[in-house]
Amino acid sequence: MKVFHVTNYFRQTHNHVGGAEQACYRTARMSADHGDQVVIVTLQFDNPPAGEGPASMVVEPIKVIEDFLPESISKYVEVAKWYALQYDPIAAGAFDKLLEREKPDVVHFHNFQFLTFSLVRKAAARAIPTCISIYDYWHFCPKAMLSLPDNSFCRQAHSTKCLCCLPKMFTIVQKALLSVRRPIFDNCFDLLDRFIVLSEHSAGVLEGYGLSREKICVVPLTLPIEYADEPPAPDLGLAEKSILFAGWLNDRKGVHMAIAAMPHILEKVPDARLYIIGGRAKFAQDYEQSFERFIDEHAIAGSIEFLGHQPPHTVRHYLQNVTALVLPEQYQNMSPLIMVEAMMLGTPLVASNVGGIPEYITDGETGFLADHRDPEDFAAKLVRLLTETQLRKRLAGKANKAINQRNDNEKILRTTRGVYRGMIKNAKGIADGQ
């Protein structure tokens, strides 16, 4: 079987690598390791391919409009694509040539906003089966959160009502783009054969949006198969009572909640230290300033270390060195990849009790769940992990067992291939007039 995986960024070739990119890499590599021909379609490289993974996994970069524009203009084109402008004639033309040359059996889309939905249209025009993995809610919400300003769940999906949650700039342009967002996206949703989500909760979200349950498949995240290729983590010399946050520095990942918990933690554990791995998010200056003010006002800068964006192997090293992981997600997340990695590596965690996370974490058994709006709740549970050695060992052991059973790679491979084969069979039936 020949499978295209389409993603903005890829683990081997780009600096911008988060959970979605890691998930794409693992899905593609698992397929290639089991004999499939895999082609990764992505944006122009930041770095030359490192040769990681099997020879049957080829990476093909294609150009987009932004590659031909000055940075002062291209950044606004990116924003327009994020909001609604899901057409790129340059990417579409290059992709169509790839489809003609390679003739894939299936195209699997991941996070590909900047390549745009025009690629979906090209695959559909050639009657090639397509599916998409949904890692967040960008497809239904320009903030990718489906959360209202009061932190309640938003059931309205994208419309001009989204203005209340968005930056107060270029309002007229935002309104114009939002007014056409849903029709553009829905048109492309109709062309996709399957939607792959990570939890039953997320399947319900997509159904609530109006997508047919028959087109929705729940496939858990692949376990990190690349760990077998990597050397053991070195001793990083971290603080004895250490907490890790890893994620983009934006409101939906909730770094502000981890920071807000620190004054309460330091009352009980004065030598605790929070390590923050994460890149800066676009248009998040006001958000960053708010948590920076909090740090200054509470004089806790000495207990927090910002490490910036780090490559995946460095994130793993920190996971294996810290005492605990904090996951203060502020939206209905499906199942954060860092959660799966921590459970596999035996790092106990405290996570928000939202979205698909409770499908993975049983409170007090495989980790702790906290009210996503309550820093004191996070603090109390993190203090327990920092101070109770036997509790940490018990939670870590049960979490490791649970995640290896739930996210068994062989089962995930069978399920994923079943999705592909089902789409191919349906496409053949349509072609044969059945």
Side-chain angles (χ1 to χ4, degrees):
M1 188 185 308
K2 180 178 282 189
V3 184
F4 272 24
H5 288 271
V6 182
T7 174
N8 290 323
Y9 313 109
F10 192 59
R11 172 186 165 98
Q12 300 176 346
T13 54
H14 293 90
N15 298 326
H16 183 117
V17 176
E21 291 73 36
Q22 284 283 82
C24 172
Y25 170 81
R26 290 167 186 169
T27 301
R29 175 165 173 183
M30 181 172 63
S31 179
D33 282 345
H34 287 80
D36 293 334
Q37 291 179 271
V38 172
V39 177
I40 308 298
V41 181
T42 187
L43 294 167
Q44 292 292 297
F45 298 159
D46 295 327
N47 313 298
E52 182 180 350
S56 55
M57 190 164 71
V58 177
V59 186
E60 291 277 2
I62 60 176
K63 291 184 181 294
V64 293
I65 292 173
E66 296 94 297
D67 293 322
F68 299 90
L69 299 173
E71 197 274 336
S72 59
I73 298 175
S74 66
K75 65 181 180 182
Y76 293 108
V77 174
E78 278 195 356
V79 173
K81 285 181 174 181
W82 183 274
Y83 271 76
L85 187 61
Q86 281 294 296
Y87 181 68
D88 189 312
I90 294 172
F95 188 63
D96 198 43
K97 289 178 181 177
L98 273 178
L99 294 175
E100 172 64 25
R101 188 185 81 198
E102 299 290 339
K103 295 179 173 53
D105 298 298
V106 169
V107 178
H108 187 157
F109 293 95
H110 298 265
N111 276 9
F112 71 114
Q113 298 93 331
F114 305 123
L115 292 164
T116 75
F117 277 126
S118 53
L119 276 58
V120 175
R121 297 187 185 96
K122 289 297 183 183
R126 293 180 177 273
I128 300 171
T130 56
C131 62
I132 183 170
S133 285
I134 306 291
Y135 299 110
D136 57 36
Y137 295 122
W138 170 81
H139 305 83
F140 318 105
C141 166
K143 282 201 72 175
M145 293 177 66
L146 283 176
S147 293
L148 295 170
D150 63 0
N151 273 328
S152 62
F153 183 63
C154 177
R155 301 184 184 279
Q156 309 237 2
H158 33 204
S159 71
T160 54
K161 293 181 179 178
C162 298
L163 285 169
C164 68
C165 298
L166 295 169
K168 308 305 179 189
M169 59 178 70
F170 308 116
T171 304
I172 294 174
V173 177
Q174 289 188 69
K175 188 172 183 179
L177 291 170
L178 290 171
S179 68
V180 298
R181 193 179 206 263
R182 180 155 189 162
I184 290 171
F185 280 46
D186 285 357
N187 175 263
C188 289
F189 292 164
D190 289 341
L191 300 176
L192 289 159
D193 296 291
R194 293 291 183 272
F195 295 81
I196 297 174
V197 296
L198 309 177
S199 68
E200 291 294 341
H201 177 273
S202 296
V205 171
L206 269 63
E207 276 192 272
Y209 177 83
L211 298 176
S212 168
R213 187 62 176 87
E214 293 180 355
K215 294 180 72 171
I216 303 169
C217 309
V218 179
V219 182
L221 287 166
T222 305
L223 293 175
I225 49 182
E226 73 278 7
Y227 283 2
D229 304 334
E230 298 175 355
D235 183 350
L236 300 180
L238 304 183
E240 184 179 350
K241 309 293 185 183
S242 53
I243 304 163
L244 175 66
F245 169 93
W248 296 106
L249 304 186
N250 58 28
D251 52 354
R252 65 188 166 104
K253 287 299 180 182
V255 66
H256 66 281
M257 190 59 56
I259 292 169
M262 282 304 290
H264 305 288
I265 293 170
L266 293 169
E267 288 179 5
K268 304 289 186 181
V269 188
D271 56 342
R273 190 169 184 82
L274 173 64
Y275 296 91
I276 296 175
I277 292 177
R280 301 180 68 175
K282 293 180 180 179
F283 304 106
Q285 293 91 338
D286 290 346
Y287 175 72
E288 290 183 22
Q289 289 171 6
S290 68
F291 66 67
E292 288 168 357
R293 281 195 302 271
F294 183 93
I295 291 171
D296 291 340
E297 290 168 0
H298 291 79
I300 56 174
S303 299
I304 299 175
E305 187 171 339
F306 286 88
L307 301 165
H309 185 72
Q310 296 293 331
H313 69 274
T314 301
V315 177
R316 177 177 71 87
H317 293 167
Y318 272 86
L319 269 176
Q320 291 182 282
N321 275 265
V322 296
T323 311
L325 173 72
V326 60
L327 260 174
E329 300 281 348
Q330 296 297 295
Y331 77 112
Q332 304 290 319
N333 199 314
M334 302 182 185
S335 58
L337 181 135
I338 191 80
M339 173 186 71
V340 173
E341 294 175 338
M343 294 174 74
M344 181 181 174
L345 292 171
T347 305
L349 59 91
V350 181
S352 295
N353 189 12
V354 295
I357 293 174
E359 295 178 33
Y360 286 76
I361 302 295
T362 301
D363 191 35
E365 291 294 321
T366 54
F368 282 126
L369 295 172
D371 182 338
H372 70 291
R373 298 162 296 186
D374 186 353
E376 292 188 41
D377 194 16
F378 275 99
K381 289 166 179 173
L382 284 165
V383 165
R384 289 197 64 188
L385 292 181
L386 293 175
T387 58
E388 299 180 35
T389 303
Q390 292 306 311
L391 173 66
R392 291 199 303 273
K393 290 181 178 179
R394 177 172 64 81
L395 295 181
K398 289 188 174 183
N400 177 268
K401 181 179 180 181
I403 202 65
N404 277 288
Q405 290 176 346
R406 181 185 179 93
N407 293 43
D408 176 74
N409 280 350
E410 291 298 323
K411 289 192 294 185
I412 292 172
L413 177 65
R414 289 195 298 272
T415 303
T416 303
R417 280 185 162 173
V419 172
Y420 294 164
R421 290 180 179 132
M423 294 192 301
I424 293 169
K425 181 178 179 181
N426 289 345
K428 187 177 185 302
I430 292 170
D432 293 342
Q434 298 177 8

